[in-house]
Amino acid sequence: QKEVEQNSGPLSVPEGAIASLNCTYSDRGSQSFFWYRQYSGKSPELIMFIYSNGDKEDGRFTAQLNKASQYVSLLIRDSQPSDSATYLCAVDSNTGKLIFGQGTTLQVKP
Amino acid sequence: EAGVAQSPRYKIIEKRQSVAFWCNPISGHATLYWYQQILGQGPKLLIQFQNNGVVDDSQLPKDRFSAERLKGVDSTLKIQPAKLEDSAVYLCASSLRVPGLLEKNTEAFFGQGTRLTVV
């Protein structure tokens, strides 16, 4: 079992729609959870972090965490073509390692 | 605030040659990470330092890869000898993260990476 799993996609949504990205993790003791965005040929950049169960909203982005189900998600409302990128889920494990999933490619079609 | 600096940006070498990458983290960041990102995949953690000690190097191919972080600041990652499958982007990142402590918002900041091509 991979430590952090994501559906590689691509996930294709029309402009203005809601994009839903999902991630599961194996280490039940994980403390902090991150969503990074990576444009082609660029380095990852942080979009959001979450460490408590529930929802956290920041502009068009909402992160959701369910520690009992070991599940993290990212919702992007009013998706724009500029949101087209690979979205990486990262988990700060109980042992202190920062582990990334394989990423989900999002395509927002005008 | 200066970001994470990496050099070189690009490197092309022949298989069986050696190569070294350098990383200078953000000032004051105790934790430094080296990741390998193969095209189409997520970053794979090779080694994680806390100051100049190793937190995890379980995914580092120790027969050919080595890394050090002298004085708890700059770090170098070396590959000797290189193989074709080592072609990837090598990302260095740093954070304020201190393992064992409940830290909030301990995001990792990434450098621009080094694109290695082994031919």
Side-chain angles (χ1 to χ4, degrees):
Chain A
Q1 182 188 9
K2 290 183 180 179
E3 293 181 84
V4 180
E5 294 208 53
Q6 296 180 254
N7 187 325
S8 59
L11 173 65
S12 183
V13 300
E15 184 175 356
I18 296 176
S20 177
L21 305 160
N22 305 312
C23 170
T24 59
Y25 60 94
S26 61
D27 184 350
R28 188 170 288 279
S30 298
Q31 302 286 349
S32 303
F33 307 85
F34 306 86
W35 283 100
Y36 283 79
R37 177 176 61 200
Q38 186 174 30
Y39 291 112
S40 180
K42 303 294 186 182
S43 294
E45 57 178 346
L46 184 74
I47 299 175
M48 293 195 68
F49 67 93
I50 186 168
Y51 51 83
S52 298
N53 276 327
D55 295 0
K56 179 181 179 183
E57 187 174 320
D58 184 1
R60 296 186 296 111
F61 299 95
T62 298
Q64 299 174 317
L65 174 60
N66 183 326
K67 288 187 177 181
S69 300
Q70 295 174 243
Y71 177 89
V72 193
S73 66
L74 179 70
L75 298 178
I76 306 174
R77 290 180 299 281
D78 188 24
S79 296
Q80 301 297 308
S82 58
D83 294 327
S84 297
T86 296
Y87 289 80
L88 298 163
C89 172
V91 176
D92 193 318
S93 75
N94 193 39
T95 58
K97 296 189 299 183
L98 183 63
I99 303 298
F100 283 80
Q102 67 266 41
T104 298
T105 300
L106 174 65
Q107 298 172 347
V108 181
K109 296 186 180 296
Chain B
E1 179 182 73
V4 177
Q6 286 190 249
S7 67
R9 288 293 312 278
Y10 305 92
K11 191 75 176 178
I12 301 174
I13 62 172
E14 295 182 349
K15 59 183 178 183
R16 292 187 289 273
Q17 286 187 325
S18 63
V19 64
F21 313 127
W22 173 82
C23 174
N24 180 240
I26 293 173
S27 177
H29 280 194
T31 299
L32 185 147
Y33 315 82
W34 281 104
Y35 290 91
Q36 179 194 59
Q37 188 171 28
I38 293 172
L39 187 64
Q41 299 182 17
K44 172 187 171 183
L45 180 64
L46 293 177
I47 188 166
Q48 180 173 333
F49 292 97
Q50 164 70 23
N51 295 313
N52 61 348
V54 176
V55 172
D56 186 89
D57 63 356
S58 58
Q59 300 277 3
L60 188 72
K62 298 179 185 63
D63 58 334
R64 299 185 299 107
F65 285 65
S66 64
E68 61 181 6
R69 190 182 185 194
L70 298 176
K71 301 181 181 178
V73 182
D74 291 7
S75 178
T76 56
L77 176 70
K78 296 179 182 178
I79 307 175
Q80 182 179 11
K83 293 185 176 182
L84 296 177
E85 60 259 37
D86 298 332
S87 294
V89 175
Y90 290 84
L91 294 164
C92 178
S94 70
S95 81
L96 291 168
R97 176 75 164 89
V98 178
L101 296 181
L102 278 179
E103 292 286 344
K104 297 178 173 62
N105 190 14
T106 54
E107 70 170 291
F109 294 85
F110 283 84
Q112 291 184 299
T114 297
R115 183 176 298 277
L116 173 68
T117 303
V118 182
V119 298

